[in-house]
mmCIF file of all heavy atoms in Angstrom:
data_model
loop_
_atom_site.group_PDB
_atom_site.id
_atom_site.type_symbol
_atom_site.label_atom_id
_atom_site.label_comp_id
_atom_site.label_asym_id
_atom_site.label_seq_id
_atom_site.Cartn_x
_atom_site.Cartn_y
_atom_site.Cartn_z
ATOM 1 N N VAL T 1 -22.064 2.656 -3.665
ATOM 2 C CA VAL T 1 -21.104 1.593 -3.213
ATOM 3 C C VAL T 1 -19.822 1.717 -4.065
ATOM 4 O O VAL T 1 -18.724 1.404 -3.468
ATOM 5 C CB VAL T 1 -21.819 0.180 -3.491
ATOM 6 C CG1 VAL T 1 -20.852 -0.963 -3.304
ATOM 7 C CG2 VAL T 1 -23.032 0.076 -2.755
ATOM 8 N N ASP T 2 -19.793 2.113 -5.281
ATOM 9 C CA ASP T 2 -18.553 2.249 -6.058
ATOM 10 C C ASP T 2 -17.643 3.267 -5.426
ATOM 11 O O ASP T 2 -16.462 3.202 -5.460
ATOM 12 C CB ASP T 2 -18.933 2.711 -7.482
ATOM 13 C CG ASP T 2 -19.420 1.527 -8.430
ATOM 14 O OD1 ASP T 2 -19.284 0.460 -8.029
ATOM 15 O OD2 ASP T 2 -20.044 1.906 -9.367
ATOM 16 N N LEU T 3 -18.269 4.369 -4.875
ATOM 17 C CA LEU T 3 -17.474 5.403 -4.273
ATOM 18 C C LEU T 3 -16.829 4.797 -2.980
ATOM 19 O O LEU T 3 -15.682 5.064 -2.700
ATOM 20 C CB LEU T 3 -18.354 6.504 -3.836
ATOM 21 C CG LEU T 3 -17.649 7.795 -3.152
ATOM 22 C CD1 LEU T 3 -16.549 8.384 -3.962
ATOM 23 C CD2 LEU T 3 -18.714 8.858 -2.670
ATOM 24 N N ILE T 4 -17.594 4.170 -2.189
ATOM 25 C CA ILE T 4 -17.056 3.490 -0.894
ATOM 26 C C ILE T 4 -15.899 2.493 -1.306
ATOM 27 O O ILE T 4 -14.825 2.518 -0.672
ATOM 28 C CB ILE T 4 -18.131 2.825 -0.111
ATOM 29 C CG1 ILE T 4 -19.069 3.870 0.328
ATOM 30 C CG2 ILE T 4 -17.551 2.122 0.987
ATOM 31 C CD1 ILE T 4 -20.377 3.293 0.952
ATOM 32 N N THR T 5 -16.266 1.678 -2.321
ATOM 33 C CA THR T 5 -15.178 0.669 -2.744
ATOM 34 C C THR T 5 -13.950 1.366 -3.186
ATOM 35 O O THR T 5 -12.794 0.970 -2.903
ATOM 36 C CB THR T 5 -15.748 -0.280 -3.862
ATOM 37 O OG1 THR T 5 -16.989 -0.858 -3.325
ATOM 38 C CG2 THR T 5 -14.728 -1.393 -4.242
ATOM 39 N N ALA T 6 -14.057 2.318 -4.027
ATOM 40 C CA ALA T 6 -12.961 3.036 -4.585
ATOM 41 C C ALA T 6 -12.081 3.705 -3.494
ATOM 42 O O ALA T 6 -10.814 3.677 -3.491
ATOM 43 C CB ALA T 6 -13.285 4.061 -5.618
ATOM 44 N N ALA T 7 -12.691 4.371 -2.550
ATOM 45 C CA ALA T 7 -11.966 5.104 -1.486
ATOM 46 C C ALA T 7 -11.180 3.915 -0.637
ATOM 47 O O ALA T 7 -10.133 4.123 -0.364
ATOM 48 C CB ALA T 7 -12.957 5.764 -0.615
ATOM 49 N N SER T 8 -11.939 2.851 -0.356
ATOM 50 C CA SER T 8 -11.255 1.859 0.481
ATOM 51 C C SER T 8 -10.088 1.175 -0.279
ATOM 52 O O SER T 8 -9.074 0.902 0.295
ATOM 53 C CB SER T 8 -12.337 0.718 0.744
ATOM 54 O OG SER T 8 -11.739 -0.488 1.430
ATOM 55 N N ASP T 9 -10.302 0.904 -1.603
ATOM 56 C CA ASP T 9 -9.146 0.332 -2.497
ATOM 57 C C ASP T 9 -7.967 1.171 -2.473
ATOM 58 O O ASP T 9 -6.841 0.795 -2.541
ATOM 59 C CB ASP T 9 -9.660 -0.138 -3.790
ATOM 60 C CG ASP T 9 -10.646 -1.292 -3.739
ATOM 61 O OD1 ASP T 9 -10.664 -1.960 -2.716
ATOM 62 O OD2 ASP T 9 -11.223 -1.509 -4.747
ATOM 63 N N THR T 10 -8.320 2.547 -2.623
ATOM 64 C CA THR T 10 -7.231 3.528 -2.687
ATOM 65 C C THR T 10 -6.347 3.543 -1.507
ATOM 66 O O THR T 10 -5.082 3.540 -1.505
ATOM 67 C CB THR T 10 -7.758 4.906 -2.871
ATOM 68 O OG1 THR T 10 -8.515 4.908 -4.287
ATOM 69 C CG2 THR T 10 -6.587 5.863 -3.017
ATOM 70 N N ALA T 11 -7.059 3.592 -0.255
ATOM 71 C CA ALA T 11 -6.399 3.471 1.010
ATOM 72 C C ALA T 11 -5.494 2.225 1.163
ATOM 73 O O ALA T 11 -4.406 2.259 1.577
ATOM 74 C CB ALA T 11 -7.340 3.775 2.103
ATOM 75 N N THR T 12 -6.159 1.154 0.876
ATOM 76 C CA THR T 12 -5.470 -0.175 0.947
ATOM 77 C C THR T 12 -4.302 -0.299 -0.012
ATOM 78 O O THR T 12 -3.242 -0.732 0.496
ATOM 79 C CB THR T 12 -6.471 -1.297 0.747
ATOM 80 O OG1 THR T 12 -7.547 -1.225 1.759
ATOM 81 C CG2 THR T 12 -5.849 -2.755 1.007
ATOM 82 N N GLY T 13 -4.510 0.121 -1.186
ATOM 83 C CA GLY T 13 -3.392 -0.097 -2.195
ATOM 84 C C GLY T 13 -2.391 0.898 -1.898
ATOM 85 O O GLY T 13 -1.137 0.464 -1.963
ATOM 86 N N SER T 14 -2.498 2.054 -1.562
ATOM 87 C CA SER T 14 -1.392 2.995 -1.266
ATOM 88 C C SER T 14 -0.699 2.592 0.019
ATOM 89 O O SER T 14 0.555 2.717 0.092
ATOM 90 C CB SER T 14 -2.042 4.419 -1.169
ATOM 91 O OG SER T 14 -2.870 4.519 -0.154
ATOM 92 N N GLY T 15 -1.434 2.103 0.992
ATOM 93 C CA GLY T 15 -0.808 1.610 2.205
ATOM 94 C C GLY T 15 0.080 0.497 1.957
ATOM 95 O O GLY T 15 1.217 0.294 2.419
ATOM 96 N N ALA T 16 -0.374 -0.415 1.083
ATOM 97 C CA ALA T 16 0.433 -1.710 0.825
ATOM 98 C C ALA T 16 1.755 -1.241 0.072
ATOM 99 O O ALA T 16 2.805 -1.836 0.303
ATOM 100 C CB ALA T 16 -0.375 -2.641 -0.065
ATOM 101 N N ILE T 17 1.617 -0.336 -0.825
ATOM 102 C CA ILE T 17 2.843 0.083 -1.588
ATOM 103 C C ILE T 17 3.802 0.752 -0.602
ATOM 104 O O ILE T 17 4.989 0.494 -0.708
ATOM 105 C CB ILE T 17 2.394 1.138 -2.646
ATOM 106 C CG1 ILE T 17 1.581 0.420 -3.749
ATOM 107 C CG2 ILE T 17 3.670 1.824 -3.269
ATOM 108 C CD1 ILE T 17 0.919 1.383 -4.828
ATOM 109 N N GLY T 18 3.300 1.618 0.227
ATOM 110 C CA GLY T 18 4.255 2.174 1.225
ATOM 111 C C GLY T 18 4.886 1.127 2.148
ATOM 112 O O GLY T 18 6.077 1.266 2.429
ATOM 113 N N ALA T 19 4.077 0.161 2.602
ATOM 114 C CA ALA T 19 4.602 -0.883 3.471
ATOM 115 C C ALA T 19 5.738 -1.693 2.780
ATOM 116 O O ALA T 19 6.755 -1.950 3.322
ATOM 117 C CB ALA T 19 3.502 -1.736 3.927
ATOM 118 N N TYR T 20 5.492 -1.911 1.397
ATOM 119 C CA TYR T 20 6.493 -2.774 0.761
ATOM 120 C C TYR T 20 7.759 -1.872 0.487
ATOM 121 O O TYR T 20 8.854 -2.464 0.658
ATOM 122 C CB TYR T 20 5.896 -3.253 -0.606
ATOM 123 C CG TYR T 20 6.725 -4.193 -1.331
ATOM 124 C CD1 TYR T 20 6.569 -5.520 -1.084
ATOM 125 C CD2 TYR T 20 7.598 -3.706 -2.321
ATOM 126 C CE1 TYR T 20 7.437 -6.518 -1.719
ATOM 127 C CE2 TYR T 20 8.410 -4.682 -3.026
ATOM 128 C CZ TYR T 20 8.417 -5.966 -2.735
ATOM 129 O OH TYR T 20 9.117 -6.890 -3.467
ATOM 130 N N SER T 21 7.518 -0.707 0.172
ATOM 131 C CA SER T 21 8.748 0.136 -0.075
ATOM 132 C C SER T 21 9.592 0.311 1.221
ATOM 133 O O SER T 21 10.827 0.142 1.131
ATOM 134 C CB SER T 21 8.300 1.578 -0.528
ATOM 135 O OG SER T 21 7.602 1.483 -1.666
ATOM 136 N N ALA T 22 8.877 0.534 2.416
ATOM 137 C CA ALA T 22 9.651 0.623 3.583
ATOM 138 C C ALA T 22 10.376 -0.716 3.950
ATOM 139 O O ALA T 22 11.524 -0.682 4.373
ATOM 140 C CB ALA T 22 8.648 0.923 4.745
ATOM 141 N N PHE T 23 9.667 -1.812 3.716
ATOM 142 C CA PHE T 23 10.187 -3.144 3.904
ATOM 143 C C PHE T 23 11.458 -3.306 3.060
ATOM 144 O O PHE T 23 12.547 -3.796 3.612
ATOM 145 C CB PHE T 23 9.213 -4.161 3.726
ATOM 146 C CG PHE T 23 9.650 -5.641 3.685
ATOM 147 C CD1 PHE T 23 10.103 -6.236 4.888
ATOM 148 C CD2 PHE T 23 9.806 -6.370 2.526
ATOM 149 C CE1 PHE T 23 10.515 -7.530 4.932
ATOM 150 C CE2 PHE T 23 10.271 -7.669 2.482
ATOM 151 C CZ PHE T 23 10.641 -8.198 3.699
ATOM 152 N N ALA T 24 11.357 -3.064 1.747
ATOM 153 C CA ALA T 24 12.392 -3.294 0.751
ATOM 154 C C ALA T 24 13.664 -2.435 1.203
ATOM 155 O O ALA T 24 14.710 -2.902 1.169
ATOM 156 C CB ALA T 24 11.906 -3.109 -0.632
ATOM 157 N N ASP T 25 13.416 -1.206 1.475
ATOM 158 C CA ASP T 25 14.540 -0.334 1.847
ATOM 159 C C ASP T 25 15.147 -0.791 3.170
ATOM 160 O O ASP T 25 16.406 -0.810 3.206
ATOM 161 C CB ASP T 25 14.015 1.128 2.081
ATOM 162 C CG ASP T 25 13.614 1.776 0.842
ATOM 163 O OD1 ASP T 25 13.844 1.232 -0.323
ATOM 164 O OD2 ASP T 25 12.799 2.868 0.824
ATOM 165 N N THR T 26 14.428 -1.212 3.997
ATOM 166 C CA THR T 26 14.894 -1.667 5.373
ATOM 167 C C THR T 26 15.801 -2.874 5.143
ATOM 168 O O THR T 26 16.929 -3.036 5.692
ATOM 169 C CB THR T 26 13.798 -1.994 6.379
ATOM 170 O OG1 THR T 26 13.019 -0.774 6.694
ATOM 171 C CG2 THR T 26 14.357 -2.559 7.662
ATOM 172 N N MET T 27 15.291 -3.829 4.269
ATOM 173 C CA MET T 27 16.062 -5.020 4.028
ATOM 174 C C MET T 27 17.343 -4.705 3.297
ATOM 175 O O MET T 27 18.398 -5.505 3.598
ATOM 176 C CB MET T 27 15.159 -5.997 3.167
ATOM 177 C CG MET T 27 13.953 -6.505 3.942
ATOM 178 S SD MET T 27 14.288 -7.461 5.488
ATOM 179 C CE MET T 27 14.755 -9.094 4.732
ATOM 180 N N ASP T 28 17.299 -3.883 2.297
ATOM 181 C CA ASP T 28 18.583 -3.481 1.606
ATOM 182 C C ASP T 28 19.642 -2.988 2.646
ATOM 183 O O ASP T 28 20.720 -3.334 2.534
ATOM 184 C CB ASP T 28 18.186 -2.494 0.444
ATOM 185 C CG ASP T 28 17.445 -3.056 -0.730
ATOM 186 O OD1 ASP T 28 17.512 -4.328 -0.805
ATOM 187 O OD2 ASP T 28 16.906 -2.304 -1.462
ATOM 188 N N ASP T 29 19.063 -2.035 3.501
ATOM 189 C CA ASP T 29 20.060 -1.517 4.383
ATOM 190 C C ASP T 29 20.576 -2.480 5.423
ATOM 191 O O ASP T 29 21.682 -2.452 5.722
ATOM 192 C CB ASP T 29 19.314 -0.311 5.129
ATOM 193 C CG ASP T 29 20.206 0.352 6.266
ATOM 194 O OD1 ASP T 29 21.146 1.122 5.828
ATOM 195 O OD2 ASP T 29 20.027 0.109 7.419
#
């Protein structure tokens, strides 16, 4: 279960960071 949770959290966390970065850059522009 730890492996499944870690993989899911990694995907979710990295996706959120990317979404926020794209959003912030778009808003600045």
